[in-house]
Amino acid sequence: MQAFYHRADAVIELANGQLSPTSHSGQVGASLLYAAARYSASVASIGFVKGDDLRKEKEDILDFYTKQYRQMLSDNLDDYAQNFDKYIQVGK
């Protein structure tokens, strides 16, 4: 499990490195979300022999990834709400 969080932290660090006066967190977040979708499509395609077979499984794949993302986002929103003052240091 430690490797899972280490990989996630590395991706977050890379995303934070993209912040600049010309690219704000919303823009970086959109790029990160697109990259996650692109990578997930690649991962989902592994094991298929034909594009038509992948296409037939599209709804099941979408359901799987959507459920996973929703749970992860929910867990992280709960964490941020619980630790708001620690994570969001307004005016400091």
Side-chain angles (χ1 to χ4, degrees), residues 8-76:
D9 288 345
V11 172
I12 292 167
E13 186 175 331
L14 178 64
N16 284 335
Q18 299 295 309
L19 297 171
S20 73
T22 59
S23 64
H24 58 72
S25 60
Q27 293 167 319
V28 173
S31 296
L32 184 58
L33 195 57
Y34 177 80
R38 185 92 174 140
Y39 192 83
S40 295
S42 173
V43 169
S45 72
I46 294 171
F48 287 96
V49 177
K50 297 185 296 187
D52 284 342
D53 293 336
L54 174 62
R55 192 172 294 110
K56 289 175 189 172
E57 299 295 324
K58 179 180 175 181
E59 288 305 314
D60 288 340
I61 294 167
L62 284 169
D63 289 344
F64 172 78
Y65 280 101
T66 301
K67 182 178 178 183
Q68 293 295 311
Y69 180 78
R70 184 177 179 84
Q71 184 61 57
M72 290 177 187
L73 180 57
S74 177
D75 291 347
N76 279 282

